[in-house]
Amino acid sequence: MPRVPLGRWAVVTAALASVAVPACTAGQPVGRDGGTARPVLVRPVGHQSRGEAEGSYAPQAMAVAPSVGLLSNTTAVEGVPRSVATGARYVRGSNVLLLASGRWMYLPAAGTTSVVVAPGHPPARLQIAQSRAWLGSGRIPGTTPAQRAAAERALLSLRALLRPNGAVAAGWSPGWQYSWPRDSSFVSAAFAHTGHDAEAYRILLHTAATQRADGTWEARTKLDGSGPPDRRRWQLDANGWVPWATWQWYRTAPWATRQARLTTLYPMIRKAADHAAGSLRTDGLPPASPDYWELMTTTTNIGTAAPLLAGLNAASDLARETGRPDDAARWGRAARRLSAAVSAHFAPLGYRRTADGRHGHDSAVAFLAPPFNAAPADLPRALDGTYRALLLPNGGLTPGNDPSAPWGGNAWTPSTAFFALAWATTGKTAKAGQVLDWVLSKRNPLGELPEKADRAGRPAAVAPLAWTGSIVLLALTALDGTPLPAPPLAPLWP
């Protein structure tokens, strides 16, 4: 793991982690204090920006505080700064903001800049009605009013972050305004399971359009699909996440059209699965690759192996659905090889981060549970042990306890929510509910789910974060009693 970039990121993390949402006052400037113009790497440090440094530097004054909410007309989006959010709240079921003054702030249809209007402004009322109708066209999961309110806000935020071309912005702050295939896959699955088929499929079409010729994806791309914004390493886990998301969409899609639409997506699946299968070494494991931490490891990590297993099983099942037995058999054999290798190399270590056991625990152990993979018999113990190892005093989880990664005392909501989802899908509903309650308690004053909670337990960094919102929606769906199965383990083939 490269120590020089990590050291550089540690400095930036310490500088930006202090940005906590509740600490806002009226009239507070949106940007950070200018300070001196010494060279500082200026990129918000989130799970999205932990890759190798690109060498782009700028004066510290250019750093922009993360957004805390969104205004959206579904074609354009505008971040809400903390100064505007003070004392404000959304009009129920919409992205129209009720300001502390009593006036409304919204993004007009076909507009790109927000306006402030009198309450009851007819065009704003129309936007509210359209937004509520969209919510009503699907399902809002949750068994309590608080859960349903959080789910409603997460759905509206995901809808705002979804661009007309199918790209999903990870968040709406500099450094997050890009599309990651990992995040997009989760958002597509969340839309699919909440009854928003068109949005789920649109994401998959965009993902197919940004696939590289060799079947892989860049770590992230610009929202217009024109290519990557930097030279960070591509990440092999996308070759698992995308077929998995396609399988989840297919299971929920309307019967009348899903076969034809899967045929459109199938070339993407074939290229992704062939690359994943071809990447497996003689020991059955994939090569080392940057994982969801966006950091390279010297040996295979669970954050790559588990998604690839899910993707190969998903691709094999989709091939059977489309009458392609040769593809199904090829990917099924690869899935069984990988499954056996995970059992041989990761299981004896309690499914730690890397196959050599030298990099501690990792919240990616949850990727071995549904709705990603059929949970192995020893996974419950590994989930419990990993959760205890990663638990912080503020009640949330650090992504991992690898001593070479400078995560500090911030809890990460995606990593914490992984366990809510894993326990919800494996019948541990009480555990899942407790973890989910913690995640939901970290929503900021606008009800948005943030990327992190600081040492004091306050929401920090960008909000909303698409990845967290999608995981929460999936967990709430499972807790509602809706089955969220994993792609079946491929059968034995000759």
Side-chain angles (χ1 to χ4, degrees):
M1 192 171 293
R3 293 186 179 277
V4 174
L6 279 175
R8 186 176 296 156
W9 281 115
V11 174
V12 185
T13 300
L16 290 176
S18 61
V19 181
V21 173
C24 53
T25 57
Q28 184 174 350
V30 175
R32 292 176 57 80
D33 190 1
T36 61
R38 59 185 176 84
V40 174
L41 182 62
V42 176
R43 250 181 327 181
V45 179
H47 86 279
Q48 312 294 5
S49 51
R50 295 202 57 84
E52 293 188 0
E54 293 99 42
S56 57
Y57 290 80
Q60 192 172 4
M62 289 180 63
V64 178
S67 65
V68 298
L70 301 173
L71 304 176
S72 173
N73 56 18
T74 73
T75 59
V77 63
E78 180 177 295
V80 177
R82 287 176 293 150
S83 55
V84 172
T86 303
R89 59 181 174 85
Y90 291 111
V91 176
R92 184 184 61 80
S94 77
N95 282 90
V96 174
L97 201 62
L98 173 60
L99 301 174
S101 65
R103 293 168 66 80
W104 284 0
M105 185 177 187
Y106 84 114
L107 201 57
T112 57
T113 304
S114 62
V115 297
V116 177
V117 297
H121 183 63
R125 287 175 60 89
L126 176 61
Q127 188 179 108
I128 293 168
Q130 291 170 338
S131 179
R132 291 175 178 172
W134 178 82
L135 286 169
S137 70
R139 296 183 298 276
I140 301 175
T143 58
T144 69
Q147 288 178 350
R148 288 180 59 81
E152 178 181 286
R153 177 48 42 201
L155 280 166
L156 291 172
S157 296
L158 295 185
R159 188 187 187 212
L161 292 170
L162 174 60
R163 304 293 77 229
N165 66 351
V168 178
W172 206 255
S173 296
W176 284 266
Q177 289 176 0
Y178 304 105
S179 181
W180 276 259
R182 180 188 310 109
D183 301 52
S184 297
S185 294
F186 275 76
V187 173
S188 177
F191 276 138
H193 283 287
T194 54
H196 299 287
D197 172 79
E199 288 78 5
Y201 186 66
R202 193 195 328 162
I203 293 169
L204 295 174
L205 286 175
H206 178 80
T207 305
T210 54
Q211 188 178 31
R212 303 195 298 186
D214 66 353
T216 65
W217 281 267
E218 298 287 353
R220 60 180 185 172
T221 56
K222 298 175 184 178
L223 294 178
D224 62 5
S226 60
D230 50 50
R231 298 187 303 276
R232 69 178 57 192
R233 291 176 183 263
W234 67 278
Q235 294 149 27
L236 182 57
D237 65 338
N239 285 62
W241 291 128
V242 175
W244 167 80
T246 305
W247 187 87
Q248 295 290 343
W249 160 77
Y250 182 78
R251 287 189 66 256
T252 64
W255 282 78
T257 60
R258 69 174 189 168
Q259 196 71 37
R261 290 188 290 159
L262 177 59
T263 299
T264 299
L265 296 174
Y266 196 79
M268 170 185 73
I269 300 300
R270 175 180 282 133
K271 289 191 294 182
D274 276 345
H275 189 99
S279 74
L280 302 184
R281 306 176 312 205
T282 56
D283 63 359
L285 290 175
S289 170
D291 54 8
Y292 74 102
W293 293 18
E294 301 206 288
L295 292 172
M296 189 64 181
T297 56
T298 56
T299 56
T300 306
N301 55 65
I302 195 69
T304 299
L308 285 190
L309 179 58
L312 284 168
N313 280 319
S316 181
D317 197 51
L318 291 171
R320 286 194 296 273
E321 287 287 334
T322 57
R324 294 173 170 87
D326 291 343
D327 285 351
R330 184 169 67 257
W331 301 331
R333 287 192 296 268
R336 285 194 167 269
R337 283 185 61 217
L338 177 53
S339 179
V342 169
S343 295
H345 296 276
F346 283 97
L349 304 171
Y351 302 102
R352 295 201 173 201
R353 186 181 182 213
T354 54
D356 60 10
R358 297 179 179 177
H359 294 280
H361 295 275
D362 191 327
S363 62
V365 66
F367 299 161
L368 288 171
F372 314 113
N373 289 290
D378 55 353
L379 187 64
R381 178 180 296 181
L383 285 171
D384 290 345
T386 303
Y387 184 84
R388 289 193 299 268
L390 302 185
L391 187 62
L392 296 174
N394 66 9
L397 300 186
T398 181
N401 58 3
D402 187 334
S404 65
W407 296 115
N410 292 317
W412 293 65
T413 57
S415 289
T416 309
F418 290 161
F419 286 80
L421 179 57
W423 280 325
T425 55
T426 54
K428 307 295 184 182
T429 55
K431 285 184 176 182
Q434 291 173 0
V435 175
L436 196 58
D437 284 346
W438 182 90
V439 175
L440 298 187
S441 74
K442 302 309 166 189
R443 289 181 296 157
N444 69 19
L446 290 181
E448 303 282 15
L449 288 159
E451 182 181 59
K452 292 183 281 189
D454 67 12
R455 291 177 182 271
R458 300 171 300 182
V462 67
L465 187 75
W467 202 17
T468 302
S470 58
I471 300 166
V472 165
L473 285 168
L474 290 170
L476 286 171
T477 298
L479 287 174
D480 264 358
T482 302
L484 290 183
L489 183 64
L492 290 172
W493 297 91

